[in-house]
Amino acid sequence: MPKLFAIFGDPVSHSRSPLMHNYLFQALHVDACYTRVHLTDGSKLRDTFFSLGLSGANITVPHKEAAYEACDEVRGFATTIGVVNTIILEDGKLIGYNTDADGFMEAIKPFGTLKTVLILGAGGTAKALANRFLQDGYQVNVLNRSEERLNYFKDLDLSCEVPLMCDTWKSFVCKSYDLVVNTTSAGLKDDLYPAPKTMIEEILSHTTYVADAIYGKLTPFLLLAKQKELNYKDGADMLLYQGVLANHLFCEKQFDLKTTADFMQKSFLL
Ligand code: NDP
């Protein structure tokens, strides 16, 4: 009986994860299949996982925090951040992991050494990246549309050596950054900027590198970065590397990371 894996999200039709995982399964003769599940209510994740008979799953916007709640046990970096993007079924239990932060760090390696980063957004992806940046000694700034989600980052501030600045659009004062990364879903299924356009223009005038977690399209944010001739990248490499790490778990570490990455990358050419 083939193993079944899925990605849960809302929206989820844009996701390239099925293509990446299925390409590897087919190429390396793994008896498994990966599909999409459009899930609007995150509290139904656990029941849906079991009713579909899944062996594992990825979770995307906006259910990563709900996925943490759905798990019986959470391991590794996901325990620090309370955000799960990968679930494995182990002895009838749901085990949660987070591969987003490691995936993103791998993706920005070509940018070289960075010290200051501005994260746009304060959702699950922002939490993962902020924690990883802080662990690695970066100076972290978080800018979010609304106040509520910033509370998590304010609490983080108490436990880290380098001060973490977090602002809403109202309180934000632009500084200089090595990297600005958009982790909001603005631009995913609309043509919005992650903050008012004038603010984004100012930010882009004060940064060296620009990244967007969104992939498969040039968001208005990245288009502006391109027009300003900044060094930018979309979320495709982050997608690839978080997927490589997730697949490594799905396949019980049967293939090394380089082999997994090579095959998954080939699916981008389809
Ligand atoms: P969440 O739902 O957890 O967080 C969304 C964030 O976006 C919130 O901070 C929210 O602000 C903000 N936001 C939403 N709409 C707007 C808007 N119109 N203007 C400004 N801010 C807005 O999402 P995730 O963190 O899970 O995912 C965020 C994005 O990252 C998605 O587009 C997802 O596809 C992408 N992603 C890509 C990955 C990859 O592999 N390339 C991996 C992970 C995520 P507020 O608090 O005010 O509501």
Coordinates of all heavy atoms in Angstrom, one line a residue, residues 36 49 68 108 115 145 147 162 166 244-245 248 265:
R36 N -2.6 17.6 -2.3 CA -3.0 18.9 -1.6 C -4.3 18.8 -0.9 O -5.2 18.1 -1.4 CB -3.3 20.0 -2.7 CG -2.1 20.6 -3.4 CD -2.6 21.7 -4.3 NE -1.5 22.2 -5.0 CZ -1.1 21.7 -6.2 NH1 -1.8 20.7 -6.8 NH2 0.0 22.2 -6.8
F49 N -6.2 14.6 8.9 CA -5.0 13.8 8.8 C -5.3 12.4 8.9 O -5.0 11.5 8.1 CB -3.9 14.3 9.8 CG -2.6 13.6 9.6 CD1 -1.5 14.3 9.1 CD2 -2.3 12.3 10.0 CE1 -0.2 13.7 8.9 CE2 -1.1 11.7 9.9 CZ 0.0 12.4 9.3
Y68 N 0.8 22.9 15.3 CA 1.6 22.7 16.6 C 0.6 22.1 17.6 O 0.9 21.2 18.3 CB 2.2 24.0 17.1 CG 2.9 24.0 18.4 CD1 4.2 23.6 18.4 CD2 2.2 24.2 19.6 CE1 4.9 23.5 19.7 CE2 2.9 24.2 20.8 CZ 4.2 23.8 20.8 OH 4.9 23.8 22.0
I108 N 19.5 31.8 1.9 CA 20.1 33.1 1.9 C 21.7 33.0 2.0 O 22.3 34.0 2.1 CB 19.6 34.1 3.0 CG1 19.8 33.5 4.4 CG2 18.1 34.5 2.7 CD1 19.6 34.6 5.5
K115 N 24.1 41.0 9.3 CA 24.1 41.3 10.7 C 22.7 41.8 11.2 O 22.2 41.5 12.2 CB 25.1 42.3 11.1 CG 26.5 41.7 11.1 CD 27.5 42.7 11.7 CE 28.9 42.0 11.7 NZ 30.0 43.0 11.5
R145 N 1.6 44.6 10.5 CA 0.4 45.5 10.3 C -0.4 45.7 11.6 O -0.7 46.8 12.0 CB -0.6 44.7 9.3 CG -1.8 45.4 9.0 CD -2.6 44.6 7.9 NE -2.9 43.2 8.3 CZ -3.5 42.4 7.6 NH1 -4.0 42.7 6.4 NH2 -3.8 41.1 8.0
E147 N -1.0 45.0 15.9 CA -0.3 44.9 17.2 C -0.2 43.5 17.8 O 0.8 43.0 18.3 CB -0.9 45.9 18.2 CG -0.3 45.9 19.6 CD 0.8 46.9 19.6 OE1 0.7 48.0 19.1 OE2 1.9 46.6 20.2
V162 N 20.8 40.5 22.2 CA 20.7 41.7 21.2 C 19.2 42.1 21.3 O 18.3 41.3 21.1 CB 21.0 41.3 19.8 CG1 21.2 42.5 18.9 CG2 22.2 40.4 19.8
C166 N 10.3 45.6 17.7 CA 9.1 45.3 17.0 C 8.2 46.4 16.9 O 7.9 47.1 17.9 CB 8.4 44.0 17.4 SG 8.4 43.7 19.1
V244 N 13.2 19.7 1.2 CA 14.3 18.7 1.3 C 14.3 18.1 2.7 O 14.3 16.9 2.9 CB 15.7 19.3 0.9 CG1 16.8 18.4 1.3 CG2 15.7 19.6 -0.6
L245 N 14.3 19.0 3.7 CA 14.4 18.5 5.1 C 13.1 17.8 5.5 O 13.2 16.8 6.2 CB 14.6 19.7 6.0 CG 15.9 20.5 5.8 CD1 15.9 21.8 6.5 CD2 17.1 19.6 6.3
H248 N 13.3 14.3 3.8 CA 14.2 13.5 4.6 C 13.5 12.8 5.7 O 13.8 11.6 6.0 CB 15.3 14.4 5.1 CG 16.6 13.8 5.4 ND1 17.3 13.0 4.5 CD2 17.4 13.8 6.5 CE1 18.4 12.6 5.0 NE2 18.5 13.1 6.3
Q265 N 15.0 19.6 -6.9 CA 15.3 20.8 -7.7 C 14.9 20.6 -9.2 O 14.4 21.5 -9.9 CB 16.7 21.2 -7.6 CG 17.1 22.5 -8.3 CD 18.0 23.4 -7.5 OE1 19.0 22.9 -7.0 NE2 17.8 24.7 -7.5

